[in-house]
Amino acid sequence: MREVKVSIFGFGTVGRALVEIISERPRVAGVEIRVESITDRSGTVWGDFDPLEAKEVKENIGRISALGDYDVYSFKPQELVEEIKPDILVDVSSWDGAFSMYEVALREGVSVVTSNKPPIAEHYDKLKELAEESKAGIYFESTVMAGTPIIGLLRENLLGENIEEILAVLNASTTFILTRMESGKSFDEAFKEAKSLGILEEDPSKDIDGIDAFYKAKILHWVAYGEPPEKTERVGIREVKDAKNVRLVARVSKGEINVKPRKLKENSPLLVSGVYNAAIIRMNNLGELVLKGKGGGGRVTASGVFTDIVKAALKFPSPR
Amino acid sequence: MREVKVSIFGFGTVGRALVEIISERPRVAGVEIRVESITDRSGTVWGDFDPLEAKEVKENIGRISALGDYDVYSFKPQELVEEIKPDILVDVSSWDGAFSMYEVALREGVSVVTSNKPPIAEHYDKLKELAEESKAGIYFESTVMAGTPIIGLLRENLLGENIEEILAVLNASTTFILTRMESGKSFDEAFKEAKSLGILEEDPSKDIDGIDAFYKAKILHWVAYGEPPEKTERVGIREVKDAKNVRLVARVSKGEINVKPRKLKENSPLLVSGVYNAAIIRMNNLGELVLKGKGGGGRVTASGVFTDIVKAALKFPSPR
């Protein structure tokens, strides 16, 4: 049993759910996963601590630095990897600037697992190059559709296919608002309800204006074509009047992505509700493939991160 | 670019479609795929021949031994690997006894890629053990749902999950008959139509009595749980009277598989038609995941075999 040391960066819902999943199955596929450090805004706990105790403390006191009897470090993110030297850096934060931290990690030969979208959407080419140079890996299943493995599907499977088009509903908050509008509410009423239920991002524009879905579409474009899109379009749901069978749909094809509200056919697999995401992948041999699953939630997102940790530990190749 | 030598065993629709796909993309993920030999019932062509020419000859004359200017060998299957020493043995035949050939291959450190169900359904534990001993790999994506990657999904993804249940429609021939019955035909009429269209296996009982779906369910059980099922049940579609919304459904849960006709809800993702297969995977964190795609056809099956060849070439780990 080979031990792999994991540094978890970010300790919100996903990070805490991840600690639970790791404690439920610490040994998998010949690998023993050891949580070496956890970082939140208050600092980094590092060493021989109990991750489940850290989770309790975070949930009860609100900051990991309150964990008693352990040294708490205040590393800068870029220092983290150099000080701790984990095998795998796991970013479950929502820090837009995490790219600089990944750079350091990959240069040091430390694999990166992340559920954080912007660094992948903006810098995948650079990260892939760094990973290839250092024989480390970069894994990001949960950036799109959370733990529903659309990245694994595209990156490690379907290798005899030209991906002709992907159509996908990737943002559950807009689905919530649109389905509320389908039952007769106005956009403003549905928006307020979503906000009060805590369904929206801190900056609701990321959901409503399609920014979140756009990042995800960009990541799918990277994985399907190995390059960034040349032509992009993004329209949110603010202007939707008749929401009947409308969902915020991302369309990805070679060189092009767009995100906009689309009226779907009654029997479309994209006509999802609740936290479900769905994707239709059109290909030259396989024709139409549909993948549908949950696209958010702590354990759902942490589950994809967990798979990625195992892949990183096993040095999984990424053929596409 | 590393060259991998592939021996193709079986040269029916799938084998010929595979040769097409390889010729369309001979270089992928740093690997150059070279067809070193092709075997059909008439013999083995081996060496510096053009696989597309072999395909032409097979289609026009019906046997690969008619390929001019090349030596044709009459190896026994067990001799094939020892004589040719390929990197990967690709079985796209329907030879029930192919296990003995895989044994030889794996013992020699030759990875096996197969779309042939019975050897995997019956002997997966033994094959996995041999593969682990020799550091070769055994890949079988196209045994279930053809190129629609349910094996990749279960074997290399969803690693943080307990697979609680899989419900799946895995046999398109019975779907054809049942949908014909839905439009008012009797079982006998629909059966005759399927037979005349060449949709059924040579021995139609394999479709009608659920034998094909049963093999597939058994393979899913192996992948999900690493052991064979203790309790099994198999009921075909001969006795179906009212076919409305009925499909032949395989159910897989820990220790148990059954295949039988089930009446589905109007909006069930399993209510497929044509060559589509569908699966619902129920898990502890991710809840319900749906995968739907084509489950048969030459290129559709060959596409999954192609992905497996790349995985075998890259020595892909199989964590589950």
Side-chain angles (χ1 to χ4, degrees):
Chain A
M1 194 67 61
R2 186 166 52 91
E3 189 183 84
V4 294
K5 291 189 286 185
V6 165
S7 282
I8 299 176
F9 184 86
F11 208 39
T13 324
V14 177
R16 298 198 302 276
L18 177 62
V19 155
E20 278 174 14
I21 296 180
I22 293 173
S23 74
E24 286 160 19
R25 47 184 88 216
R27 282 167 292 275
V28 55
V31 170
E32 174 149 14
I33 304 168
R34 189 186 134 75
V35 178
E36 181 72 10
S37 73
I38 302 176
T39 302
D40 74 359
R41 282 167 214 263
S42 76
T44 295
V45 178
W46 174 23
D48 193 24
F49 65 98
D50 174 1
L52 288 178
E53 196 189 332
K55 174 180 166 280
E56 290 282 304
V57 166
K58 176 75 176 182
E59 279 166 2
N60 294 326
I61 310 185
R63 59 192 169 79
I64 198 167
S65 60
L67 189 65
D69 299 334
Y70 298 98
D71 286 334
V72 176
Y73 301 83
S74 52
F75 300 132
K76 287 185 192 142
Q78 290 82 347
E79 293 167 350
L80 192 72
V81 167
E82 283 164 348
E83 291 292 331
I84 297 178
K85 301 195 189 307
D87 299 299
I88 304 168
L89 172 68
V90 177
D91 177 16
V92 283
S93 78
S94 53
W95 180 34
D96 280 5
F99 168 67
S100 59
M101 180 172 65
Y102 302 176
E103 256 191 313
V104 175
L106 293 172
R107 286 224 168 88
E108 298 276 325
V110 171
S111 290
V112 174
V113 166
T114 181
S115 60
N116 186 0
K117 295 171 282 287
I120 302 293
E122 299 308 337
H123 305 288
Y124 182 58
D125 45 353
K126 185 73 185 151
L127 291 168
K128 204 179 166 187
E129 201 186 303
L130 284 170
E132 278 162 12
E133 279 167 17
S134 70
K135 313 272 180 206
I138 170 105
Y139 304 88
F140 47 92
E141 182 62 73
S142 287
T143 55
V144 187
M145 295 180 80
T148 300
I150 191 164
I151 301 294
L153 214 68
L154 288 168
R155 208 180 181 204
E156 298 152 17
N157 293 282
L158 311 171
L159 303 175
E161 301 295 314
N162 298 327
I163 310 295
E164 291 166 355
E165 183 185 54
I166 304 171
L167 287 164
V169 175
L170 302 171
N171 177 281
S173 307
T174 48
T175 297
F176 176 86
I177 292 175
L178 291 166
T179 48
R180 278 295 190 266
M181 289 169 73
E182 281 182 298
S183 2
K185 300 213 168 180
S186 71
F187 173 82
D188 286 339
E189 287 165 342
F191 177 83
K192 271 177 202 149
E193 192 184 347
K195 208 166 158 60
S196 72
L197 289 167
I199 288 171
L200 295 171
E201 294 212 40
E202 219 171 319
D203 171 7
S205 165
K206 288 191 179 165
D207 291 315
I208 305 307
D209 295 319
I211 296 168
D212 171 75
F214 187 83
Y215 279 136
K216 290 168 175 169
K218 204 162 171 190
I219 293 171
L220 292 182
H221 193 282
W222 274 120
V223 175
Y225 306 113
E227 58 186 35
E230 284 168 20
K231 219 175 131 191
T232 65
E233 187 188 359
R234 175 171 58 80
V235 182
I237 61 164
R238 288 182 201 267
E239 304 303 319
V240 173
K241 298 290 172 245
D242 170 17
K244 173 76 181 155
N245 292 349
V246 171
R247 295 293 179 275
L248 185 66
V249 176
R251 181 181 179 279
V252 177
S253 59
K254 194 166 167 60
E256 197 172 342
I257 59 176
N258 65 55
V259 171
K260 55 187 173 191
R262 287 174 190 255
K263 193 174 272 294
L264 301 167
K265 284 185 190 155
E266 199 69 59
N267 61 353
S268 169
L270 298 182
L271 209 53
V272 288
S273 58
V275 298
Y276 276 88
N277 282 187
I280 300 171
I281 308 175
R282 293 211 173 96
M283 295 162 282
N284 58 323
N285 300 312
L286 282 178
E288 203 170 290
L289 181 148
V290 174
L291 180 67
K292 188 177 147 188
K294 288 188 182 174
R299 299 267 305 193
V300 172
T301 307
S303 172
V305 173
F306 183 87
T307 287
D308 276 351
I309 291 173
V310 178
K311 287 184 178 176
L314 298 176
K315 297 266 178 205
F316 244 63
S318 304
R320 184 178 267 128
Chain B
M1 193 65 64
R2 186 166 53 90
E3 190 184 84
V4 293
K5 290 190 287 185
V6 165
S7 283
I8 299 177
F9 184 85
F11 207 38
T13 324
V14 177
R16 299 198 301 277
L18 177 63
V19 155
E20 279 175 14
I21 296 179
I22 292 173
S23 73
E24 286 160 20
R25 50 183 87 216
R27 281 168 292 276
V28 54
V31 170
E32 174 149 14
I33 303 169
R34 188 186 134 73
V35 177
E36 181 73 11
S37 73
I38 302 178
T39 301
D40 74 357
R41 281 168 215 263
S42 77
T44 295
V45 178
W46 173 23
D48 195 23
F49 66 97
D50 177 0
L52 288 178
E53 198 190 332
K55 174 180 166 282
E56 290 282 305
V57 166
K58 176 76 178 183
E59 280 167 0
N60 294 325
I61 311 186
R63 58 194 169 80
I64 199 168
S65 60
L67 190 66
D69 299 333
Y70 298 98
D71 287 332
V72 176
Y73 301 81
S74 50
F75 300 130
K76 287 183 192 141
Q78 290 80 349
E79 292 169 349
L80 193 73
V81 167
E82 282 165 349
E83 291 293 331
I84 297 177
K85 300 193 191 304
D87 299 300
I88 303 168
L89 171 69
V90 177
D91 177 15
V92 284
S93 77
S94 53
W95 180 33
D96 280 5
F99 168 65
S100 58
M101 182 171 65
Y102 302 176
E103 254 191 315
V104 176
L106 293 171
R107 285 225 169 88
E108 298 276 326
V110 172
S111 289
V112 173
V113 166
T114 181
S115 60
N116 186 2
K117 294 171 282 287
I120 302 294
E122 300 306 339
H123 305 287
Y124 182 57
D125 45 353
K126 184 71 185 155
L127 292 167
K128 204 179 167 192
E129 200 186 302
L130 284 169
E132 278 161 14
E133 279 167 18
S134 69
K135 311 273 180 205
I138 170 105
Y139 304 88
F140 47 91
E141 182 62 72
S142 286
T143 56
V144 186
M145 294 179 84
T148 300
I150 188 161
I151 301 294
L153 213 68
L154 287 168
R155 211 181 179 203
E156 298 151 17
N157 293 282
L158 311 171
L159 302 177
E161 299 296 315
N162 298 327
I163 310 295
E164 289 165 355
E165 181 185 54
I166 305 171
L167 287 164
V169 174
L170 302 171
N171 177 282
S173 308
T174 47
T175 297
F176 176 86
I177 292 174
L178 291 166
T179 49
R180 278 296 190 268
M181 290 170 72
E182 280 182 300
S183 1
K185 300 213 169 181
S186 71
F187 173 81
D188 287 340
E189 288 165 343
F191 176 82
K192 274 177 199 147
E193 192 184 347
K195 206 164 161 59
S196 72
L197 289 167
I199 289 171
L200 294 172
E201 294 213 40
E202 220 171 316
D203 171 6
S205 165
K206 286 190 181 167
D207 291 315
I208 304 307
D209 296 319
I211 297 169
D212 171 74
F214 187 83
Y215 279 136
K216 291 167 175 169
K218 204 162 170 187
I219 293 170
L220 292 181
H221 192 283
W222 275 119
V223 175
Y225 306 111
E227 58 185 34
E230 282 168 19
K231 219 177 131 192
T232 67
E233 187 189 359
R234 174 170 61 77
V235 181
I237 62 165
R238 289 183 200 267
E239 305 302 321
V240 172
K241 300 290 173 242
D242 171 18
K244 175 76 178 157
N245 292 352
V246 171
R247 294 294 180 272
L248 185 66
V249 176
R251 180 180 181 279
V252 177
S253 60
K254 193 165 169 61
E256 195 171 344
I257 59 175
N258 65 55
V259 171
K260 54 187 175 189
R262 286 174 190 256
K263 192 174 274 293
L264 301 167
K265 284 186 191 156
E266 199 69 60
N267 62 353
S268 169
L270 298 182
L271 209 54
V272 289
S273 58
V275 298
Y276 277 88
N277 283 186
I280 301 171
I281 307 174
R282 293 212 174 95
M283 294 161 285
N284 59 320
N285 300 311
L286 283 176
E288 201 171 291
L289 181 150
V290 175
L291 180 68
K292 188 179 147 186
K294 289 187 180 173
R299 301 265 308 191
V300 172
T301 308
S303 172
V305 173
F306 182 87
T307 287
D308 275 351
I309 291 173
V310 177
K311 287 184 179 177
L314 299 175
K315 297 265 176 203
F316 244 63
S318 303
R320 184 177 266 129

